[in-house]
Amino acid sequence: MGEVLRSKTAELFNEPGCAKNQAKSEKERKKGCSKPLVPGAAAGGCAFDGAKIALEPIVDVVHLTHGPSACEGNSWDNRHAATSGPSTYRLGLTTDLSELDIVMGNGEKRLYRAIKDAIARYDPPAVFVYQTCVPAMIGDDIEAVCRHAAEKTGTPCIPVLSAGFSGKKNFGNKLAGEALFKHVIGTIEPEYTTPTDVNILGEYNIVGEIWQIKPLLEKLGIRLLANITGDARYRDLAGAHRARVNMMMCSAALINLARQMEERWGIPYFEGSFYGIADTSAALRTLARMLVERGAPEDLLQRTEVLIAAEEARAWARIEPYREILKGKRVILYTGGVKSWSIVSALQEIGMKIVATSVRKSTEGDKERIKEIMDDPHMVGSVPAREMYARLANDEADILLSGGKTQYVGLKARRPWLDINQERNYAYAGYDGTVALVAELAKSLSNPVWEEIRRPAPWEISADIVPLDCGPQSRSGLGEA
């Protein structure tokens, strides 16, 4: 690891805005929060992957991976980040660094040519260049190449120092935040500003979730200056420093960016959630209160309460038909990226019982929040597939909510499963998203296929019936001459 990357890693591990980190002793803080990676453990979860997840939803720029093509192939479009217009972000460009380039020292020249070619072909407002493990190890100076390319072409080139071996996925999110703070935010002044301009950090527009949140803000006259980074445009991000308030959707991802924006531009931030009815209302109230404290019209508070009352009534009316199906149903929640406490709150609102919830990627603050909202919190860390299967097969839960990797455990145990991670096909944010989540839960639980596959096979009930593949060795003599 180069000295620049080493010092940046140490700096980010000592994040002053992270309550968990500040609770440690000085000696423990110096060790950082990264755990040694074992072979294979970084697949789908290295720092490079985390940086791509955080920045790739910027839809009008070119994302160029400097490294072997496999790095780009593994990270390309691995989330359903939706766009309302440009689709440049889905190109998946790479320098395709090979052994010969390494031996001949052609890495930097190859990167420069790739940047020029990308700009000539697509004319983007900016190019984001991602460092991977190989160029970091051979010493390619991508910051210098980006600086030189920007001078020659007039197009901003943003270096993202995201070598995969520097840490895990969450750390890559922070490296992405560093790139935005150092090279993007504050470089362009917005055309105009209002007293109700806000940014949302850590929202990636998975399956279009920002489109369930933005209409609520617009009804209140709150302008979303920049969504960082779902469905984002480069110019909006560059002018994000003029927002009045920052809301963090995921504190573990971009807290370093929120903290630095407060220090440099005086933008206060808070952590909120748009998952579940109560949390959506709480987030709107907090946004309104903080904006009024910073000069927005005071009637914003009253208008917010009117909107919340109307939206909550509408949502509960739409949820009512599903209430009997879901009431008392037991859930194992094994989430990755989505906040555990947000989903716990949403499920409890509709009368479901949480048997266990995973906190393997939760912060200490998240865990405390779960303890507050659950009378008997059953928090679990990483659960082996065999244990998960045993719990489901022993009828400890009616449904499993998790990511795609765990779906086969649920299916093998003949239990309904619903995807709530980034691979999901439905948007669950805001009031409309909560109704959609309830509808999907009800459909999964009431699907007749589960009753059918749990029913004993005919040959398990009657000795006179044999499976078709038993052939002439049947117990009843079928097939005998």
Side-chain angles (χ1 to χ4, degrees), residues 78-93:
N78 62 4
R79 292 193 168 200
H80 296 166
T83 174
S84 60
S87 57
T88 314
Y89 73 119
R90 302 189 76 242
L91 288 171
L93 303 184

Side-chain angles (χ1 to χ4, degrees), residues 67-82:
S69 57
C71 293
E72 175 58 25
N74 289 330
S75 65
W76 181 81
D77 201 28
N78 62 4
R79 292 193 168 200
H80 296 166

